[in-house]
Amino acid sequence: MVWEAYKKVKSNKGAAGVDNKSLAQYDAKLSANLYKLWNRLASGSYFPQPVREVMIPKANGGQRKLGIPTINDRIAQEVIKAYLEPRLEKVFVNNSYGYRPNKSAHQAVEAVRNNVYKYAWVVDMDIKSFFDEVSHELLTKALEVHVPEKWVKMYIKRWLETPSQDVNGTLTHKDGKGTPQGGVISPLLANLFLHYVLDVWLRKNFPNVAMVRYADDAIIHCHTEREAQEALQAVCKRMGECKLQLNEKKTQIVYCKSARNRLKNNYPKKFDFLGFSFKPTLFPNKRGGAFLGTGCAISRKAQTRIVEGWRKMNFHRHPTETIQSIAHQVNSQMRGIIRYYGKINLYSLYRLMKQFNYRLCKWVLNKYKRFKGSFTRAYLWIREMRKHYPTLFYQWTVFKSI
């Protein structure tokens, strides 16, 4: 179990924890390290080290705490996760998609896209600081239902109570709540917690609605305005009972405008989910006309974040760069962007690719002064490069013209 967990952790790579031990350093004494961990896990003498706390930027300009356990602790958590996951998978509902085997974000987005054709109303939920607020008491009650093994519960309790350590070395101890966002076992514990807080409760109390959940991001589909209002009020109350809180600024009722639904001017017509925007869109019909429905495409926030990343790369201001080195820098990211967002709606990425071309043109103009600031000549130069090296940039192999 320890060996299989190690292989999984190694394949996921990741940074060092508070001990500053990288995967390469861990591998240098692999046999001794794994034997020591196995021995302590088997004897009950394993205690986790503090979790290294880092801050990562959010799309809205704020920051989110991310906890990075040591490699030893990640392997130990993977052991317990692999042991518990098959058992809990038999309990979880089908409309929960986050961090589960054979489930994906694309499946969750597709489920929402199918539901907006059947339901006119959406409750777009956002749980405030979910991973920081998970109640240890309630989570322990959920574990008691499915986990009789004392050794498993003992290690989970130790992980939940493990303090976090910031860049200054200051330790922050848990106050009966929170599970580090970034821990290997945290997503499984979060799914178990929300299974009882939301999934089962919603199915029992609102059997006529449909819900799609990806970890702590949830969308509730309702038939009527009244049903949506009642569901939102009930969910707010339920969150309070379970020591959680909805983010009032981000939680909203959305009207999914379509040809069959009358206009409701006092409600938003758009919502975002997993980096995609759902909003009123005209679709062509078989008779050569168009009909109104709810379309799905990459969100404006996601586009802004991607373009901001390109701006920070600043390659357009470095004329000493070669076009090959620029392609090497961006191709892995482009592959990820197109495979994630393009799988749902490839055409919606066309404008984003144009923005990258604009920055590439600025690089051309800085590198080749003979073009005298002419974007037209820069675009023609890029077009010629594409003819000679059609696979240089990943997006060139996907889009016929940009």
Side-chain angles (χ1 to χ4, degrees):
M1 291 169 71
V2 171
W3 174 248
E4 292 300 321
Y6 160 75
K7 291 193 291 185
K8 185 73 177 292
V9 169
K10 185 176 175 64
S11 67
N12 290 335
K13 301 180 181 179
V18 293
D19 59 355
N20 292 319
K21 184 180 287 187
S22 66
L23 274 166
Q25 292 171 316
Y26 194 89
D27 287 349
K29 297 181 179 179
L30 181 60
S31 181
N33 285 331
L34 292 182
Y35 176 81
K36 185 177 180 180
L37 177 60
W38 166 80
N39 191 291
R40 291 185 174 180
L41 280 171
S43 65
S45 59
Y46 160 76
F47 286 88
Q49 291 183 267
V51 175
R52 183 164 73 91
E53 183 182 284
V54 296
M55 306 300 290
I56 57 173
K58 295 171 68 175
N60 60 6
Q63 290 186 318
R64 175 187 287 114
K65 291 181 183 178
L66 186 69
I68 304 177
T70 63
I71 294 170
N72 243 6
D73 293 336
R74 295 208 292 272
I75 295 170
Q77 289 187 26
E78 181 61 41
V79 168
I80 303 300
K81 175 179 177 287
Y83 182 74
L84 286 183
E85 194 169 54
R87 185 187 312 176
L88 296 181
E89 275 296 311
K90 296 177 182 179
V91 178
F92 292 158
V93 297
N94 290 329
N95 56 353
S96 165
Y97 295 88
Y99 307 106
R100 295 179 59 189
N102 303 317
K103 298 272 190 178
S104 69
H106 284 136
Q107 291 176 334
V109 173
E110 281 289 354
V112 171
R113 188 158 69 163
N114 291 332
N115 285 340
V116 293
Y117 294 121
K118 304 172 186 176
Y119 299 84
W121 297 87
V122 156
V123 178
D124 179 16
M125 285 176 47
D126 183 89
I127 303 175
K128 188 175 181 181
S129 304
F130 171 72
F131 283 91
D132 295 330
E133 298 296 328
V134 171
S135 166
H136 292 179
E137 179 189 356
L138 296 179
L139 180 56
T140 301
K141 286 183 179 180
L143 285 167
E144 290 287 349
V145 177
H146 303 284
V147 186
E149 298 92 339
K150 291 182 179 180
W151 64 277
V152 175
K153 290 183 286 189
M154 176 183 70
Y155 287 138
I156 291 176
K157 185 174 184 291
R158 289 178 185 176
W159 286 318
L160 291 175
E161 294 175 350
T162 300
S164 58
Q165 181 177 305
D166 62 19
V167 290
N168 300 317
T170 305
L171 292 177
T172 302
H173 293 271
K174 299 288 192 301
D175 188 22
K177 62 181 182 180
T179 177
Q181 188 170 359
V184 174
I185 202 167
S186 292
L188 182 64
L189 297 179
N191 274 331
L192 176 63
F193 189 82
L194 287 173
H195 172 74
Y196 287 106
V197 170
L198 196 57
D199 301 355
V200 174
W201 174 86
L202 198 65
R203 179 176 289 184
K204 178 181 177 181
N205 292 276
F206 291 88
N208 294 325
V209 308
M211 187 194 71
V212 177
R213 183 172 66 79
Y214 190 92
D216 59 327
D217 291 326
I219 299 293
I220 301 174
H221 300 270
C222 305
H223 288 288
T224 65
E225 177 183 359
R226 181 177 178 180
E227 188 176 53
Q229 291 174 343
E230 290 177 350
L232 178 56
Q233 291 175 4
V235 167
C236 283
K237 183 179 178 182
R238 175 65 174 172
M239 290 293 125
E241 293 170 348
C242 298
K243 303 180 182 181
L244 293 173
Q245 187 179 354
L246 292 182
N247 189 324
E248 294 182 3
K249 292 182 179 179
K250 295 182 179 180
T251 299
Q252 60 179 348
I253 293 176
V254 179
Y255 176 70
C256 296
K257 184 181 176 185
S258 69
R260 70 182 186 280
N261 298 329
R262 291 181 298 173
L263 182 64
K264 300 283 186 179
N265 289 320
N266 55 331
Y267 283 99
K269 310 297 185 298
K270 169 189 166 184
F271 66 95
D272 290 352
F273 182 63
L274 300 181
F276 292 89
S277 280
F278 293 81
K279 57 186 178 181
T281 306
L282 286 174
F283 295 93
N285 60 27
K286 295 179 180 179
R287 294 173 292 180
F291 68 93
L292 186 65
T294 299
C296 173
I298 182 174
S299 69
R300 186 178 295 273
K301 286 182 181 179
Q303 292 186 68
T304 301
R305 184 176 67 253
I306 292 167
V307 172
E308 180 65 17
W310 292 339
R311 187 188 68 79
K312 288 180 179 178
M313 288 173 68
N314 217 23
F315 63 80
H316 60 283
R317 293 184 181 273
H318 297 152
T320 55
E321 291 268 18
T322 64
I323 193 168
Q324 289 86 356
S325 67
I326 295 172
H328 180 72
Q329 291 178 56
V330 303
N331 270 347
S332 60
Q333 183 201 26
M334 283 292 187
R335 190 177 295 109
I337 291 169
I338 293 171
R339 287 181 178 178
Y340 182 70
Y341 295 103
K343 187 172 182 178
I344 300 294
N345 188 336
L346 184 62
Y347 178 77
S348 68
L349 297 179
Y350 192 79
R351 182 181 174 186
L352 186 64
M353 297 300 112
K354 282 281 191 182
Q355 294 209 38
F356 177 81
N357 258 16
Y358 170 74
R359 294 199 170 273
L360 195 59
C361 279
K362 291 177 74 174
W363 169 80
V364 172
L365 294 177
N366 281 327
K367 188 173 181 68
Y368 302 107
K369 302 300 182 184
R370 67 180 183 271
F371 290 154
K372 298 179 180 180
S374 171
F375 271 88
T376 301
R377 295 178 68 184
Y379 272 112
L380 289 174
W381 184 89
I382 292 173
R383 191 174 295 174
E384 283 299 311
M385 288 296 295
R386 181 170 181 170
K387 286 181 182 177
H388 294 292
Y389 305 100
T391 61
L392 181 61
F393 286 93
Y394 180 78
Q395 66 269 28
W396 288 359
T397 67
V398 178
F399 294 91
K400 293 181 179 179
S401 63
I402 303 175

